[in-house]
C-alpha cells in the first residue's frame, strides 16, 4: 500500500523560508516521478513542481520559479520542496504525489497517490 506523509509546514513571515518533506512507502520510490501541489482556500488545486525518477530533471510552475526547489533522496524515499522568498499568496495546503511514470510532469492526471497535505501559512 502506497503511503505519502508530508511534513515541514507551518507559519512563516513573508520573505521567509520553509522546507517541506514527503516520505514515501509501499512502492519502489526510485522508479517514479514525484510532484508537489497546493490548494489555497477557495481555489482549485494547482501544480507547483515535479521531479523525475532519478532527480536529474525538474519542472516548476511559473509562479514559483526562482523561489522553490524540488529535490529527492531515493535512498531515503523522500522528496523535498525548499521554499524561499515566501509570499502571502503561497498560503495553501501543500500535497506531494506519486507519479504514474518515471518522467516529470505538472499534469495532475499523471499522479495516482496523494498525501494528506501540510499547511503552509505566510503572514504579511
Amino acid at each position: 500500500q502506497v503511503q505519502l506523509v508530508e511534513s515541514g509546514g507551518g507559519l512563516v513571515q513573508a520573505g521567509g523560508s520553509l522546507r517541506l518533506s514527503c516520505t514515501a512507502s509501499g512502492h519502489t520510490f526510485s522508479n517514479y516521478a514525484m510532484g508537489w501541489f497546493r490548494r489555497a482556500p477557495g481555489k482549485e488545486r494547482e501544480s507547483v513542481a515535479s521531479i523525475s525518477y532519478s532527480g536529474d530533471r525538474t519542472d516548476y510552475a511559473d509562479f514559483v520559479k526562482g523561489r522553490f526547489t524540488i529535490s529527492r533522496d531515493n535512498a531515503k524515499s523522500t522528496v523535498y520542496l525548499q521554499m524561499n522568498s515566501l509570499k502571502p499568496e503561497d498560503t495553501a495546503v501543500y500535497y506531494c504525489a506519486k507519479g504514474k511514470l518515471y518522467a516529470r510532469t505538472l499534469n495532475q492526471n499523471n499522479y495516482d497517490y496523494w498525501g494528506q497535505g501540510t499547511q503552509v501559512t505566510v503572514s504579511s
Side-chain angles (χ1 to χ4, degrees):
Q1 180 180 357
V2 176
Q3 288 191 319
L4 302 172
V5 180
E6 302 98 335
S7 62
L11 174 64
V12 64
Q13 288 189 328
S17 299
L18 282 175
R19 188 195 197 200
L20 306 183
S21 299
C22 170
T23 300
S25 61
H27 72 286
T28 305
F29 182 78
S30 57
N31 285 356
Y32 298 94
M34 294 293 293
W36 283 98
F37 306 83
R38 70 185 188 186
R39 177 180 279 128
K43 295 187 177 181
E44 297 285 323
R45 187 175 62 195
E46 59 186 355
S47 303
V48 175
S50 67
I51 188 166
S52 63
Y53 74 106
S54 64
D56 63 337
R57 296 179 184 270
T58 58
D59 204 1
Y60 297 92
D62 286 344
F63 53 80
V64 302
K65 284 181 180 177
R67 299 190 298 126
F68 292 9
T69 302
I70 188 171
S71 63
R72 65 190 295 160
D73 184 338
N74 284 345
K76 296 182 178 179
S77 296
T78 301
V79 61
Y80 304 97
L81 186 68
Q82 177 67 44
M83 305 186 295
N84 298 329
S85 302
L86 283 161
K87 306 175 181 180
E89 51 264 44
D90 292 319
T91 294
V93 178
Y94 284 71
Y95 302 88
C96 70
K98 169 191 166 292
K100 295 178 181 177
L101 301 172
Y102 60 88
R104 75 198 191 283
T105 175
L106 292 176
N107 185 339
Q108 297 185 46
N109 293 325
N110 288 333
Y111 291 83
D112 51 7
Y113 290 92
W114 299 78
Q116 293 188 324
T118 185
Q119 176 71 47
V120 172
T121 303
V122 185
S123 63
S124 57

